Amino acid sequence: METVVSGIRSTGNLHLGNYYGAVKNFVKMQNEYNCFFFIADYHSLTTHPTPADLHGNVKQVLVEYLASGIDPEKATIYIQSDVPEVAELYLYLNMNAYMGELERSTSFKDKVRAHPDNVNAGLLTYPVLMAADIIIHKATKVPVGKDQEQHLEMSRTFGNRFNRLYNVDYFPEAYAFTFSDNLVKIPGLDGKGKMGKSEGEANAVYLSDSPEIIKKKVMRAVTDGGPVEMNQEKPEVIQNLFSLLQVVSSEDTYKHFNDLYNSCQIRYGDLKKQLAEDMILSLAPIRERINDIAADKEYLRKVSKLGAEKARESAGKTIREVREIIGFKPF
């Protein structure tokens, strides 16, 4: 089976965008591919979380991975820092990564603009660590969004550069992989762009949110004054609500509100109430499992230990071979 690698930074709870845009597909992938799904706690260090926050965030993502249906017997679920071989490969790749190419990275330039007081070396070499995450398992498929495609291209660059430098055909090239024909993009509730943790609490609906919190967030979602012409094009803030409706509601429900919009009879309050109810219904099974799994410390210990063992077996083989290729050999 081909190998798939994907990770989510441990910077807080998973939201609808993570679930419908990625994790739901992971659940399907685990039956057809050799999957490594990791929690990227090394990556989260660029924002300097407190020890308590770091540990709590890692636990939350692990719990929500499991609650969403990722099976530790089928896929390898592991915590990045439990596999020190990743950091070792990151070091080797850094020796052949150049300042100019790292500074040209779009994500690095974005971070510098957004956080000029925290331009650390970890941000600069973020694509190198991401490359190490991918090629340490010799992955050929990586589920990523548009915003990560440049990082994936850089991972191919670093792997190919290693191959050329040591005259080997060792690291394969990994490519973006959606698994589904219809790539789902989940918009935020603030009327702008995609749902994300960095846009603030009110923008995202989290898998662990209570029904009351979901209702409050959805009822506060941005709208406009309503359509003034029959069948007029929906502005972005309204299209976002309909996109969410399309994901969590039935086809009949979507058609009902779409017809009301096209005939200028839409009442946004009714649409939001229905959207909130359908979100609550769709997330109920996951929310219940989150509560049960979070309380089972022994199960979480067992899962993280199993994942670390499986990931280190794969990563350890790569590092032993990479050391030999580079020339690190015992006397």
Side-chain angles (χ1 to χ4, degrees):
M1 290 193 290
E2 286 188 275
T3 296
V4 172
V5 168
S6 187
I8 291 182
R9 288 180 75 211
S10 53
T11 51
N13 302 47
L14 301 186
H15 52 68
L16 274 178
N18 297 133
Y19 179 69
Y20 286 105
V23 179
K24 196 175 179 185
N25 269 339
F26 293 175
V27 176
K28 296 175 188 172
M29 288 176 201
Q30 67 187 352
N31 296 310
E32 298 180 35
Y33 295 92
N34 177 32
C35 293
F36 290 88
F37 299 129
F38 67 95
I39 300 161
D41 53 346
Y42 280 156
H43 285 286
S44 72
L45 294 179
T46 59
T47 55
H48 314 306
T50 67
D53 284 347
L54 176 63
H55 181 73
N57 288 341
V58 168
K59 178 186 175 185
Q60 191 66 31
V61 176
L62 177 60
V63 166
E64 292 176 0
Y65 260 170
L66 295 167
S68 298
I70 298 178
D71 185 344
E73 298 294 332
K74 294 179 180 178
T76 300
I77 310 172
Y78 66 98
I79 299 160
Q80 189 183 29
S81 60
D82 280 346
V83 184
E85 290 85 356
V86 171
E88 186 172 345
L89 184 57
Y90 171 45
L91 171 72
Y92 299 151
L93 296 178
N94 263 327
M95 299 303 182
N96 302 306
Y98 299 106
M99 284 286 289
E101 65 188 344
L102 295 173
E103 287 172 338
R104 286 193 297 273
S105 164
T106 303
S107 65
F108 177 67
K109 289 190 281 190
D110 289 345
K111 294 289 185 187
V112 169
R113 279 193 293 269
H115 307 284
D117 56 339
N118 183 33
V119 184
N120 57 66
L123 285 175
L124 181 67
T125 60
Y126 193 99
V128 187
L129 181 54
M130 185 172 169
D133 290 322
I134 296 164
I135 68 177
I136 201 158
H137 300 300
K138 295 192 169 181
T140 53
K141 295 187 182 303
V142 182
V144 292
K146 280 279 180 194
D147 57 336
Q148 292 289 320
E149 282 186 353
Q150 187 184 31
H151 283 167
L152 189 51
E153 184 183 339
M154 292 175 83
S155 81
R156 291 193 292 272
T157 297
F158 299 137
N160 287 334
R161 187 174 293 157
F162 179 92
N163 291 347
R164 286 195 305 274
L165 183 63
Y166 296 105
N167 196 28
V168 291
D169 184 16
Y170 186 71
F171 288 120
E173 292 188 329
Y175 288 91
F177 175 55
T178 63
F179 192 72
S180 170
D181 291 336
N182 301 315
L183 196 58
V184 179
K185 292 181 181 177
I186 305 299
L189 296 173
D190 62 358
K192 299 175 266 182
K194 67 178 185 177
M195 188 173 287
K197 302 175 211 174
S198 58
E199 307 306 319
E201 284 284 319
N203 178 56
V205 172
Y206 296 106
L207 304 188
S208 58
D209 278 347
S210 68
E212 292 74 25
I213 289 173
I214 292 174
K215 281 177 191 169
K216 277 184 187 174
K217 286 182 177 180
V218 174
M219 293 310 290
R220 289 174 184 162
V222 178
T223 55
D224 65 3
V228 293
E229 294 177 14
M230 302 278 278
N231 301 309
Q232 76 175 50
E233 186 178 344
K234 300 180 185 78
E236 184 183 7
V237 291
I238 303 306
Q239 183 56 55
N240 284 353
L241 291 179
F242 274 90
S243 295
L244 289 167
L245 203 66
Q246 206 161 18
V247 170
V248 299
S249 306
S250 69
E251 285 184 29
D252 288 345
T253 300
Y254 180 87
K255 184 178 184 305
H256 170 72
F257 285 104
N258 197 45
D259 288 345
L260 288 175
Y261 184 89
N262 287 334
S263 60
C264 298
Q265 299 177 71
I266 188 82
R267 290 171 49 165
Y268 291 136
D270 293 341
L271 184 151
K272 289 179 179 180
K273 282 177 189 170
Q274 185 66 52
L275 179 59
E277 284 176 21
D278 291 343
M279 279 185 182
I280 291 163
L281 196 62
S282 67
L283 292 178
I286 296 175
R287 189 168 54 251
E288 286 168 17
R289 288 197 294 272
I290 286 172
N291 295 333
D292 292 341
I293 293 168
D296 193 341
K297 292 180 182 177
E298 187 55 39
Y299 177 61
L300 290 174
R301 244 192 311 270
K302 182 181 171 185
V303 168
S304 62
K305 185 171 181 287
L306 174 67
E309 287 170 356
K310 288 163 70 178
R312 290 201 71 180
E313 184 180 352
S314 168
K317 180 177 184 295
T318 300
I319 285 297
R320 285 192 298 274
E321 292 169 352
V322 163
R323 283 180 174 185
E324 190 167 331
I325 290 167
I326 292 173
F328 294 127
K329 297 179 184 178
F331 287 98

